[in-house]
Amino acid sequence: MNPQQQLIENVVLNTVQNYERAIDAELEEDIDTLRRRRMNELRERSKMELWRAAGHGRYDPIDEKDFFEVARKSDRVVCHFARDSNRGCEAMDHSLRTLAPKHMETRFVRINAEKSPFLTERLKIWMLPSVVLIRHGQTNHTIVGLDPLGGEGFKTEVLEYLLSVHDVIEFDGPAPEIGETAERRFGINRGGNIRRGGGGAVDNSDSESDS
């Protein structure tokens, strides 16, 4: 083989080797990407399975004695204190039943207030419906009555948004029109931004007692 042909062969060989190394690097990167994606999928699936085992994805009635166990097991809990045959409670039931499967990150439960004297006293439940919002085992806020949601005929998306204000569900949609009463009550300015305050206290202002 003459020198010129040898030079050509070397150039071709180097080109092929460089190309193969580039392909190997891409394949290795693709494998790493696939591996990371698969691990993320497995983590997400495992998290969902744990949530389902803890009752997430459903809207369940619970007894007073089960309340603290529910609050301990789940980082986010929405607990509706209700009374049967109460129109406001029935409307709240409908909305929470709609939201529960949509927000797997949160446990949604219902307690019969008339059969739970200890909790209603401890949590200062004096109007129905009242929805207690719990984060990491601590009461974060209580929605008292339907006025904060716009009164009777409120929209589920308004409740969904206000639950997100207090970080008991994950929500990244647009802020709905909720009216001045709800804006003042939940610390939302006209630009749609949220002024977050400290949790722990049950809010029982600006509402009328249950009849």
Side-chain angles (χ1 to χ4, degrees):
M1 183 181 296
N2 62 51
Q4 186 175 8
Q5 188 174 357
Q6 182 65 50
L7 179 60
I8 294 173
E9 290 291 332
N10 290 339
V11 170
V12 171
L13 180 60
N14 287 335
T15 301
V16 170
Q17 289 175 339
N18 289 336
Y19 180 71
E20 290 177 343
R21 280 195 291 267
I23 291 176
D24 289 342
E26 289 180 4
L27 288 174
E28 187 172 339
E29 183 178 355
D30 287 343
I31 291 172
D32 288 341
T33 299
L34 290 172
R35 185 182 294 113
R36 286 194 297 270
R37 184 184 303 166
R38 179 60 175 164
M39 290 298 296
N40 289 335
E41 289 174 354
L42 290 173
R43 290 191 190 98
E44 188 67 21
R45 184 182 302 174
S46 177
K47 182 169 63 176
M48 288 291 181
E49 289 174 355
L50 289 173
W51 280 342
R52 287 193 182 93
H56 291 223
R58 306 191 306 266
Y59 177 52
D60 294 327
I62 63 171
D63 295 327
E64 182 178 53
K65 62 182 176 61
D66 299 321
F67 174 80
F68 294 103
E69 182 70 8
V70 167
R72 183 185 66 82
K73 282 186 175 181
S74 299
D75 290 341
R76 294 179 170 100
V77 179
V78 173
C79 182
H80 176 204
F81 281 80
R83 184 178 68 192
D84 294 339
S85 302
N86 178 296
R87 286 191 305 174
C89 294
E90 290 173 354
M92 187 64 71
D93 284 336
H94 173 76
S95 289
L96 294 177
R97 194 173 291 113
T98 299
L99 293 175
K102 184 177 178 181
H103 292 280
M104 286 294 296
E105 71 277 8
T106 303
R107 181 83 193 272
F108 290 80
V109 295
R110 183 188 198 271
I111 287 182
N112 188 319
E114 294 181 322
K115 296 180 180 180
S116 308
F118 172 76
L119 281 177
T120 54
E121 175 68 22
R122 178 163 180 171
L123 298 177
K124 299 180 176 62
I125 304 298
W126 61 276
M127 181 180 183
L128 300 178
S130 281
V131 181
V132 178
L133 314 180
I134 302 163
R135 284 286 278 136
H136 303 298
Q138 299 293 321
T139 300
N140 187 31
H141 186 78
T142 298
I143 301 174
V144 181
L146 299 181
D147 284 350
L149 304 171
E152 291 188 17
F154 71 92
K155 296 181 179 179
T156 299
E157 54 263 35
V158 172
L159 174 61
E160 181 179 34
Y161 178 69
L162 295 182
L163 293 178
S164 74
V165 168
H166 292 281
D167 198 29
V168 289
I169 65 170
E170 296 175 359
F171 176 74
D172 58 3
E177 293 294 329
I178 59 179
E180 292 185 7
T181 299
E183 286 178 352
R184 290 195 305 270
R185 192 173 181 82
F186 285 86
I188 303 170
N189 65 28
R190 286 291 184 177
N193 297 320
I194 300 167
R195 299 191 300 273
R196 297 187 183 274
V202 175
D203 184 358
N204 60 2
S205 61
D206 299 331
S207 295
E208 297 176 357
S209 60
D210 182 37
S211 55

